Amino acid sequence: MKLKKYTASTMVEAMAKVREDFGDDAVILSSNVTKTNGFLGLFRKRSVEVVASYDKTNIERPYESQVRSVQPVVEPESVEHMQREMREIKQLLKDIQQVDHSFEKFPDELLPILNMLQLQGLEGKYITEIGNLVFNRMKQDKIDFTKEQQMELIRTWFSDRLYDIPFGGITYQKKFINVLGPTGVGKTTTIAKIAARALLEEKKKVGFITTDTYRIAAIEQLRTYANLLQAPVEIAYNEEDFRTAIEKLKDLDLIFIDTAGRNYKEAKFVNDLSKLIDFSLDMETFLVLSTTSKEQDMDTIIRQFTNFPIEKFIFTKTDETDSVGSIINLILKYDIGVSYYTDGQEVPEDLTEASLEKMVDLLLAGDSRA
């Protein structure tokens, strides 16, 4: 890995030097604002120090470097990985056995829909509740319900369970739209989609603040979207920068805050975020999760953010999975609704404002794919 320290009068100048040497794949390891000693302690100048890295060797000879680095720990990691997978398989088998056992009392006419809900990843206890509702109505009315009638009763169950949970996009009543979430879930693209809708459909003046200063490529991605929308972008490396950015953009209608993508299973990164963002502002905060992630992993992330004022979830990549039952499970578990879900990379097209009906449609669409 190649490390280099840069000193410049401004952060913009320092980042330009990093980009010139390492390109957009550089990783910023640290940044610091210092003041040089002036004459007799006077006329001190502000300067910025940035430490950047670029693992050129690993890119040019990835196989050799990866094998060399992994060899000392292959056996411990393999054992731990296998044990973890065995635990997950055992739990999965346990869940399936419990659900399948509950299916025995239901007539054959119900099994296709119940099996579909199971394949979608809906929690077993909810499937049993749905099965009981439909089966009891069948016995009460003494008829064999058609598939369409069964689906209508299932929708009734979801409407009753989700009735008090809020759904829908940004309210346009608060100035700051703060978007949180782990790395790789598509936060920046999602922010661009929401901002584009606000600008094009609601004629709002929008701007961006990014605190994702870990990767230069992330900053450039947001700048690309902002240029298309002719919207300003401010970069916040620390709390002072964040306050300065707010002051610069104060005349705008909406300010979208793109936070760093980190492994938020680690409490350290969550704490860092709480220090950087001023959550006391007139702000709506959303947590972005990818539907391609395991439900257990999403659940861990949500629990890490329980002390944050999360308004609603945003679920991405619904087009990349055939199992969206985890969305419903998490909504019911935390009583937190959904503002949007995304099903592609096009800006702003592949963004749907969520509603109770649309979320149920998304789940039951598995029946048409089966």
Side-chain angles (χ1 to χ4, degrees):
M1 178 178 289
K2 187 175 181 181
L3 297 176
K4 191 170 181 180
K5 182 178 180 180
Y6 298 84
T7 302
S9 58
T10 67
M11 185 62 72
V12 173
E13 183 181 338
M15 298 301 282
K17 292 181 179 180
V18 173
R19 188 180 297 107
E20 182 179 352
D21 287 351
F22 292 153
D24 288 342
D25 291 323
V27 174
I28 307 303
L29 299 181
S30 68
S31 60
N32 188 36
V33 178
T34 62
K35 290 187 177 181
T36 58
N37 293 325
F39 178 68
L40 297 178
L42 302 175
F43 308 107
R44 300 174 69 190
K45 293 183 178 180
R46 182 180 183 272
S47 63
V48 177
E49 291 182 351
V50 172
V51 178
S53 73
Y54 181 72
D55 196 348
K56 186 176 181 181
T57 303
N58 193 50
I59 292 176
E60 292 178 348
R61 296 183 296 171
Y63 179 79
E64 179 182 342
S65 61
Q66 289 170 12
V67 170
R68 185 168 56 249
S69 62
V70 168
Q71 279 178 345
V73 292
V74 164
E75 187 173 347
E77 287 188 352
S78 297
V79 172
E80 183 182 350
H81 179 71
M82 290 174 63
Q83 289 175 338
R84 185 169 61 251
E85 287 202 335
M86 287 300 295
R87 288 195 298 269
E88 291 177 358
I89 292 171
K90 286 180 180 179
Q91 184 60 46
L92 179 60
L93 289 173
K94 182 180 177 181
D95 293 342
I96 291 175
Q97 288 169 355
Q98 289 176 345
V99 176
D100 284 345
H101 178 70
S102 67
F103 283 9
E104 293 178 358
K105 64 181 179 180
F106 298 126
D108 292 344
E109 298 94 319
L110 267 179
L111 296 184
I113 288 182
L114 298 183
N115 286 328
M116 179 273 294
L117 293 174
Q118 184 180 13
L119 290 173
Q120 282 280 54
L122 188 65
E123 196 168 328
K125 64 181 180 181
Y126 301 139
I127 300 176
T128 301
E129 288 181 20
I130 291 170
N132 287 334
L133 171 67
V134 179
F135 187 34
N136 289 337
R137 284 293 303 276
M138 291 173 70
K139 290 190 295 184
Q140 176 184 326
D141 295 350
K142 297 181 180 179
I143 59 172
D144 296 333
F145 286 157
T146 64
K147 179 179 176 180
E148 288 72 22
Q149 290 171 312
Q150 293 177 20
M151 294 292 274
E152 189 60 34
L153 284 172
I154 291 174
R155 291 180 182 279
T156 299
W157 182 90
F158 280 111
S159 296
D160 291 342
R161 290 299 299 263
L162 302 174
Y163 179 77
D164 293 326
I165 297 177
F167 292 90
I170 61 176
T171 62
Y172 294 101
Q173 296 176 359
K174 296 187 177 182
K175 190 180 189 70
F176 298 92
I177 309 299
N178 187 31
V179 180
L180 312 176
T183 184
V185 297
K187 292 190 305 299
T188 303
T189 303
T190 300
I191 281 180
K193 292 176 181 179
I194 301 173
R197 292 275 180 90
L199 186 149
L200 297 173
E201 297 177 5
E202 302 295 330
K203 310 303 179 186
K204 300 293 185 181
K205 293 185 293 183
V206 304
F208 301 92
I209 299 175
T210 178
T211 67
D212 191 358
T213 58
Y214 183 69
R215 293 177 301 117
I216 292 180
I219 298 174
E220 292 306 314
Q221 182 187 16
L222 183 61
R223 275 187 171 143
T224 298
Y225 288 132
N227 288 338
L228 291 173
L229 299 176
Q230 296 183 333
V233 179
E234 294 294 329
I235 303 171
Y237 293 90
N238 51 48
E239 297 172 65
E240 183 181 351
D241 289 343
F242 187 77
R243 290 191 293 269
T244 301
I246 290 174
E247 180 63 24
K248 287 183 178 180
L249 303 178
K250 64 181 181 180
D251 294 330
L252 300 178
D253 298 318
L254 294 172
I255 299 173
F256 292 85
I257 303 171
D258 187 13
T259 57
R262 296 293 184 91
N263 178 12
Y264 287 116
K265 291 181 181 180
E266 297 186 28
K268 173 188 181 298
F269 295 129
V270 179
N271 293 333
D272 290 345
L273 188 63
S274 66
K275 295 175 183 177
L276 178 60
I277 305 295
D278 184 359
F279 288 90
S280 67
L281 294 170
D282 186 30
M283 178 182 293
E284 287 184 283
T285 299
F286 302 92
L287 179 59
V288 183
L289 300 166
S290 170
T291 54
T292 60
S293 301
K294 294 179 181 178
E295 183 177 336
Q296 182 179 351
D297 292 338
M298 289 191 283
D299 186 71
T300 300
I301 297 297
I302 295 170
R303 283 189 278 109
Q304 289 283 63
F305 284 99
T306 52
N307 292 327
F308 288 70
I310 303 298
E311 302 279 344
K312 299 185 186 81
F313 297 129
I314 297 174
F315 287 99
T316 61
K317 306 181 183 182
T318 60
D319 57 317
E320 297 181 24
T321 179
D322 289 328
S323 178
V324 296
S326 57
I327 294 179
I328 304 297
N329 296 338
L330 295 172
I331 292 172
L332 290 169
K333 181 174 183 177
Y334 291 98
D335 286 330
I336 296 177
V338 181
S339 55
Y340 302 95
Y341 61 90
T342 71
D343 55 1
Q345 295 295 312
E346 294 298 322
V347 178
E349 292 84 359
D350 297 331
L351 176 77
T352 300
E353 184 172 341
S355 66
L356 189 155
E357 294 77 14
K358 288 177 181 177
M359 298 312 301
V360 176
D361 287 342
L362 190 64
L363 177 72
L364 297 183
D367 185 62
S368 63
R369 294 194 293 260

